Amino acid sequence: LAYCEKAYYIDAQFDYGLSKGLIILSLGEIYYEIEEYEKASELSFEALNYLKKYNHTIAQADAYKLMALSLWKKGIYDKVDEYFHIAMELNEKEALPNYKIDALISYSEYLKDRERLTEALEILTNACNLSIQYNLSEKVSKITIMLSIFYGNLGEFREAFKYTQLHYEHEEV
């Protein structure tokens, strides 16, 4: 945190032109990880302004995702779906599949938390299918175990077993 804050203050002297807003986003992500959601939210909005100013489209998706996550954790839900969708659309256009998959996983966790279980399963299954399509074994392994637990908690044990098997087929050794 201290190093990132120092870089933030240095970059501020150059109107965030050195990092094109990325340092602001990184600092916001650190605050999110230490559960300071208000600060993370403020920094994600600030980062987005600079990422747009410097036309850093790929990172804009991460800013929208951080905005969605921060608002969710703060209990402010009115824009969360919109921000997740923007993040996923930007990732679809500009980024590697990993970024879209990560956004889908986060969105699924949000939907599950909001008890929108059908949507959460659909989104998480989509993330799994993309992971398989792009042969991302680490993601497949992670997501299939998430799906297995999800289905198990719903009492759908056949589906849970199916994803457990898929997990072991893709588990990295």
Side-chain angles (χ1 to χ4, degrees):
L1 177 62
Y3 290 114
C4 197
E5 285 178 331
K6 186 171 183 165
Y8 173 85
Y9 293 119
I10 291 169
D11 205 18
Q13 296 171 22
F14 299 94
D15 197 30
Y16 303 101
L18 298 175
S19 73
K20 299 181 177 28
L22 286 176
I23 195 67
I24 303 168
L25 181 59
S26 295
L27 189 57
E29 289 170 339
I30 291 170
Y31 277 108
Y32 178 82
E33 290 300 321
I34 60 174
E35 300 181 5
E36 291 192 28
Y37 304 122
E38 183 63 38
K39 188 71 173 166
S41 181
E42 290 170 13
L43 289 166
S44 62
F45 281 95
E46 182 182 355
L48 184 61
N49 289 330
Y50 286 99
L51 294 167
K52 285 181 177 181
K53 176 180 177 176
Y54 294 111
N55 200 30
H56 202 316
T57 310
I58 293 172
Q60 288 176 35
D62 285 338
Y64 277 108
K65 184 176 105 174
L66 182 58
M67 289 162 55
L69 291 169
S70 299
L71 290 174
W72 164 32
K73 295 298 183 177
K74 288 171 40 180
I76 303 170
Y77 306 113
D78 61 329
K79 293 281 189 181
V80 174
D81 285 287
E82 178 184 344
Y83 291 154
F84 270 124
H85 284 284
I86 293 170
M88 290 181 290
E89 287 171 18
L90 287 170
N91 281 328
E92 184 77 33
K93 294 176 188 173
E94 300 286 335
L96 296 170
N98 282 352
Y99 292 97
K100 182 175 184 185
I101 292 165
D102 287 342
L104 289 168
I105 292 169
S106 295
Y107 187 43
S108 174
E109 290 170 347
Y110 161 73
L111 293 169
K112 185 177 177 185
D113 180 69
R114 301 295 298 150
E115 297 185 23
R116 293 163 55 186
L117 302 181
T118 302
E119 291 172 89
L121 278 171
E122 182 181 311
I123 295 295
L124 196 54
T125 301
N126 186 8
C128 184
N129 292 337
L130 281 173
S131 299
I132 292 168
Q133 176 184 340
Y134 289 103
N135 198 28
L136 302 170
S137 296
E138 182 180 315
K139 297 280 187 201
V140 175
S141 182
K142 174 184 176 178
I143 297 167
T144 53
I145 210 66
M146 291 172 71
L147 282 164
S148 178
I149 292 167
F150 200 149
Y151 277 113
N153 289 339
L154 294 174
E156 296 183 32
F157 301 112
R158 285 181 196 239
E159 286 296 308
F161 182 69
K162 176 180 110 177
Y163 283 105
T164 300
Q165 285 180 308
L166 194 56
H167 165 75
Y168 286 112
E169 289 172 17
H170 289 273
E171 186 176 38
E172 288 195 334
V173 179

